[in-house]
Amino acid sequence: MEINYQAIGVRIRRLRKAQGLTQQTLAEISGQEPSNISHIERGATKLSLPTLVSIANALGVTADALLCDSIASARNVFENEAIQLLADCSHQEIKIITETIRTLKQCLRQELN
């Protein structure tokens, strides 16, 4: 499996914005240049392992949370993300989402078989 640099960038941007950080602030915390953060978030550059670790530490997440789209055994990252997405949902919203997931799962399994 190849490394999906665009997916890494999307995850970094999503986490940065969720924490209310600007690219400038993330750059300062992680010891990067703001332009480098911009390039990484757009998937326009390949980030090094030290850069990945510094950004993960600055965002307070594990490296696998940033790399999960490129790691075959990252199921727990996606499960945790789903739990976080559901955390603020109402009973009705969870009911609708659960039914949607059930239907989607059935369709996927039919398509894959």
Side-chain angles (χ1 to χ4, degrees):
M1 181 177 273
E2 290 193 30
I3 296 175
N4 186 337
Y5 291 99
Q6 285 190 314
I8 294 169
V10 167
R11 288 189 175 280
I12 290 171
R13 181 183 309 113
R14 188 180 303 141
L15 288 163
R16 174 181 60 79
K17 287 185 173 187
Q19 294 180 27
L21 301 175
T22 63
Q23 288 182 342
Q24 175 73 35
T25 305
L26 178 58
E28 291 169 5
I29 296 169
S30 64
Q32 305 299 314
E33 292 294 322
S35 60
N36 195 31
I37 298 295
S38 175
H39 293 307
I40 290 167
E41 288 186 355
R42 290 192 329 268
T45 188
K46 295 180 178 181
L47 64 162
S48 68
L49 186 56
T51 300
L52 178 76
V53 170
S54 69
I55 292 172
N57 285 334
L59 293 170
V61 299
T62 61
D64 64 335
L66 301 178
L67 295 170
C68 62
D69 297 290
S70 301
I71 299 174
S73 61
R75 178 184 173 127
N76 65 323
V77 174
F78 294 111
E79 288 174 348
N80 288 337
E81 187 174 354
I83 290 168
Q84 290 172 0
L85 288 168
L86 294 173
D88 66 345
C89 290
S90 69
H91 173 77
Q92 186 64 24
E93 289 170 330
I94 289 177
K95 183 178 176 184
I96 293 168
I97 291 168
T98 301
E99 185 56 40
T100 303
I101 291 170
R102 184 178 294 112
T103 303
L104 177 59
K105 181 179 170 182
Q106 290 171 350
C107 290
L108 285 172
R109 289 196 172 168
Q110 287 174 358
E111 192 69 29
L112 295 174
N113 289 328

